[in-house]
Amino acid sequence: TAHGHAEFRATDGHDVSLHWKRFGRKGAPTRVLFIMGLAASHNAWQAQVERLVAQGGCDVVVFDNRGTGASSTPPGGYTTDAMASDAARLMDHVQWRDAHIVGFSMGGMIAMKLAALHAPRVRSLCLISTHLGGFFFRLPGPKGLSNLLQILAAPLVRRLPAGRRLASRMRSHLDLRCHFTPSFLNSVSLPPPTPT
């Protein structure tokens, strides 16, 4: 596993440092770039990365978007245009001409912008739980707003004493509620949690 930081002056004028990790076989013909959504680190792709690497023949890169994980947090608001260009700069850094792009949630919005702004660099596009964006075009209902507020609160909770564990549990609980129906969750028997 290789890892590092891609440092560059972004299209929005900010100095950005993206933390990245590379798995699989460097130089393999199949290159896959995973782009995560809001407030989640590259670690959220672990299961997908392990599966691709186990199959062989893949060169996989995951990274933390600006403002997340071990990447820098430049001042000001971030746009999907700028974050898509960040992803293109990361591809330059790892010397990829093109790649298959996988984006989840906000990462899917970034992936769509990457495809629109840098089309020759996108071999294929896999979009998961995402939409075209635009605040007024897709306002969430009360439950969705509640979930979004919990996601946004996680970095603040993480700063409290013992907050890292609480933030991780909040995120896990939220991910389950967002991606599975209550009837499905009630039908699955899970082993008891192991003490940490």
Side-chain angles (χ1 to χ4, degrees):
T1 302
H3 60 88
H5 281 82
E7 297 181 350
F8 51 88
R9 173 64 55 102
T11 56
D12 61 3
H14 295 300
D15 290 322
V16 174
S17 174
L18 294 182
H19 174 70
W20 59 272
K21 286 187 180 176
R22 188 177 203 162
F23 300 89
R25 187 166 54 91
K26 184 177 179 179
T30 303
R31 296 173 297 280
V32 182
L33 178 68
F34 285 96
I35 307 175
M36 186 39 71
L38 181 68
S41 79
H42 70 279
N43 292 321
W45 292 114
Q46 182 178 345
Q48 290 81 5
V49 168
E50 288 174 358
R51 188 73 176 258
L52 280 176
V53 169
Q55 290 177 354
C58 288
D59 189 359
V60 179
V61 170
V62 294
F63 68 101
D64 293 335
N65 283 309
R66 59 166 78 184
T68 305
S71 290
S72 64
T73 305
Y78 307 153
T79 66
T80 52
D81 285 34
M83 294 174 84
S85 292
D86 291 354
R89 293 296 298 272
L90 175 60
M91 290 172 68
D92 293 339
H93 181 79
V94 297
Q95 300 177 335
W96 283 0
R97 183 184 71 251
D98 57 21
H100 299 281
I101 309 298
V102 181
F104 172 74
S105 192
M106 184 186 76
M109 296 166 73
I110 296 166
M112 285 185 270
K113 283 290 187 173
L114 179 62
L117 298 172
H118 305 275
R121 306 200 71 175
V122 178
R123 297 185 80 182
S124 69
L125 196 56
C126 177
L127 304 172
I128 308 162
S129 294
T130 193
H131 61 88
L132 294 174
F135 183 76
F136 292 106
F137 293 106
R138 184 146 179 154
L139 286 173
K143 185 176 180 180
L145 282 174
S146 170
N147 291 341
L148 180 60
L149 289 173
Q150 289 178 52
I151 290 170
L152 296 175
L156 299 174
V157 170
R158 215 174 264 118
R159 294 181 184 156
L160 300 171
R164 209 170 205 29
R165 187 180 314 164
L166 178 60
S168 177
R169 285 184 177 180
M170 284 172 55
R171 182 63 194 228
S172 298
H173 183 70
L174 181 62
D175 284 345
L176 286 172
R177 286 194 337 244
C178 286
H179 299 289
F180 299 99
T181 64
S183 61
F184 174 79
L185 291 174
N186 290 333
S187 71
V188 176
S189 63
L190 298 174
T194 53
T196 55

